[in-house]
Amino acid sequence: MWLFSTSIIELPPTLRYRRSNMPLISMWIACKEPDIKLWLNESVEMLKLLKNTGMLIINIKLRILVDGFSAKMDIFYYGVIADCPALKLILNFIGHGEAEQTGTNVYGHLGRCILDSILDISLPVSIICDYVHVTLLRHFKDVVKVISRGLFPSQRKNIDSKLERQSFPHYFRRKMRGIKDFSYIKASELKNLLLYGFLPVFYNVLSSNILGHIALFICAVRLLHKSKKTFGESTGDIADEFFKLYHEHHNFYYSYLENFVLHLHSHYSTSYKLHGSLSYVNTFAQEDLMGSIASNRNGTYIELFIRTYMFLVKHN
């Protein structure tokens, strides 16, 4: 299932990522990846029409309620964020696997992006790296797997026990899973492990070199996860230096992990300066939206369509 949804960035984050404030534009349900032009042509034309005509708001409440008051709101489209396979399709950009099979240039384009006609921020500035998939579900998860393979079974069992028993405040939606359950781990659980759990739990079982190396990565992500209040405008530059050191010595500790997702971290500093902190620019809400639509289906597409329809009725 593929979703094409939007969010209203003028809203504060606490309201922006509520399901009722995330308009669902279109959905593709199939066993293979979608044909972007076939799927999104009409949706993009609709968004273009909305951009040209604006949105009419009737009887809105300002500080004083005025009967019959109406206002026109102009629509601007800021950017696009998704995981790498979805970005490859919607940006019409050739993927690494496809390039290897066809022998074409890995950096080549396949044509114009379908969103090029509506985005107000020009490409590639409007492309936003999604740290949920790049950092949490790919790189950090792979690193923890590699590290755990080098531990004794008794050490892994002890670590699992500590992770599962770790207490969190009531407003944390998820706790942490043990290493043995990594096949079922969620991005929010990996975020808690990255930001809060890894260094204290693994402190006594890893060498100082490995621990210091992964600490560079964790500190860089934590810097980009917050606002600029602590270190000011240099926050992104400090995090970038940490990422460079981490990348420079990466092959000393890990094999076969110097891949595309590791390279994407070199762009995080620029993304932080342009778009804001990682805690506000991610796809946690979109993944939650997708899960809420797809949950409890009975294996038939008809059931999924019905649940999608009920979701739209509930939130619109």
Side-chain angles (χ1 to χ4, degrees):
M1 182 174 65
W2 299 64
L3 294 185
F4 183 47
S5 64
T6 61
S7 58
I8 306 170
I9 59 176
E10 289 290 338
L11 294 175
T14 52
L15 299 176
R16 183 190 311 163
Y17 296 124
R18 290 183 180 179
R19 293 174 187 172
S20 57
N21 294 329
M22 296 174 57
L24 179 59
I25 307 300
S26 184
M27 177 186 299
W28 176 279
I29 302 173
C31 298
K32 60 180 182 179
E33 64 184 28
D35 182 317
I36 288 295
K37 291 185 178 180
L38 176 65
W39 175 30
L40 294 182
N41 258 340
E42 293 186 7
S43 298
V44 172
E45 289 300 320
M46 181 268 293
L47 293 175
K48 188 186 299 184
L49 177 63
L50 183 62
K51 177 180 178 178
N52 293 334
T53 59
M55 182 181 294
L56 188 64
I57 308 297
I58 302 175
N59 291 331
I60 63 173
K61 286 186 178 181
L62 299 177
R63 293 183 179 178
I64 302 176
L65 179 63
V66 181
D67 293 335
F69 178 81
S70 63
K72 179 183 176 182
M73 297 182 64
D74 294 326
I75 306 296
F76 296 90
Y77 299 112
Y78 182 81
V80 54
I81 183 171
D83 59 10
C84 292
L87 281 178
K88 177 254 178 183
L89 290 177
I90 201 165
L91 296 175
N92 210 11
F93 197 83
I94 194 165
H96 284 212
E98 186 177 350
E100 186 175 349
Q101 293 173 6
T102 60
T104 53
N105 188 344
V106 70
Y107 299 110
H109 292 270
L110 296 178
R112 293 177 65 89
C113 170
I114 195 172
L115 301 178
D116 188 47
S117 61
I118 63 172
L119 287 174
D120 291 284
I121 307 297
S122 60
L123 294 166
V125 178
S126 54
I127 303 172
I128 305 173
C129 289
D130 174 34
Y131 104 103
V132 172
H133 291 88
V134 172
T135 299
L136 300 178
L137 292 174
R138 282 297 307 275
H139 184 71
F140 181 64
K141 185 178 180 180
D142 290 342
V143 166
V144 175
K145 284 182 178 179
V146 171
I147 290 175
S148 64
R149 292 193 194 108
L151 301 178
F152 294 109
S154 59
Q155 291 176 319
R156 289 198 296 269
K157 186 176 181 180
N158 184 39
I159 287 174
D160 285 345
S161 177
K162 290 181 178 179
L163 292 175
E164 292 168 355
R165 290 187 291 107
Q166 178 63 49
S167 300
F168 282 101
H170 65 89
Y171 49 82
F172 276 65
R173 299 181 63 182
R174 289 186 180 271
K175 295 186 178 182
M176 293 186 291
R177 288 182 185 264
I179 299 173
K180 67 179 186 298
D181 296 324
F182 252 43
S183 299
Y184 311 100
I185 199 166
K186 305 292 185 182
S188 55
E189 295 164 342
L190 280 168
K191 182 184 72 171
N192 292 339
L193 178 62
L194 171 68
L195 298 179
Y196 310 109
F198 184 88
L199 291 179
V201 172
F202 284 79
Y203 178 78
N204 292 322
V205 297
L206 298 179
S207 67
S208 58
N209 289 337
I210 296 177
L211 198 67
H213 183 254
I214 192 66
L216 287 171
F217 180 77
I218 293 174
C219 290
V221 174
R222 292 202 66 159
L223 281 172
L224 299 181
H225 217 273
K226 59 190 301 184
S227 64
K228 302 177 182 179
K229 293 181 180 179
T230 305
F231 297 100
E233 296 298 325
S234 62
T235 302
D237 296 327
I238 296 173
D240 191 48
E241 289 298 320
F242 287 169
F243 277 135
K244 287 179 179 178
L245 283 173
Y246 176 76
H247 197 168
E248 181 181 350
H249 300 92
H250 194 270
N251 60 343
F252 295 163
Y253 305 102
Y254 312 104
S255 300
Y256 310 111
L257 288 183
E258 286 190 279
N259 47 25
F260 178 62
V261 291
L262 177 60
H263 163 74
L264 287 178
H265 289 85
S266 64
H267 299 284
Y268 273 23
S269 175
T270 303
S271 179
Y272 178 79
K273 295 174 182 177
L274 292 174
H275 309 299
S277 67
L278 298 179
S279 57
Y280 300 141
V281 185
N282 54 64
T283 60
F284 274 115
Q286 283 78 7
E287 292 295 321
D288 179 67
L289 173 65
M290 185 179 298
S292 68
I293 294 175
S295 62
N296 299 322
R297 69 183 180 93
N298 297 325
T300 65
Y301 288 134
I302 296 176
E303 176 76 13
L304 186 55
F305 280 124
I306 293 174
R307 292 191 176 277
T308 304
Y309 174 75
M310 295 305 297
F311 173 86
L312 294 174
V313 170
K314 179 180 178 181
H315 293 284
N316 290 283

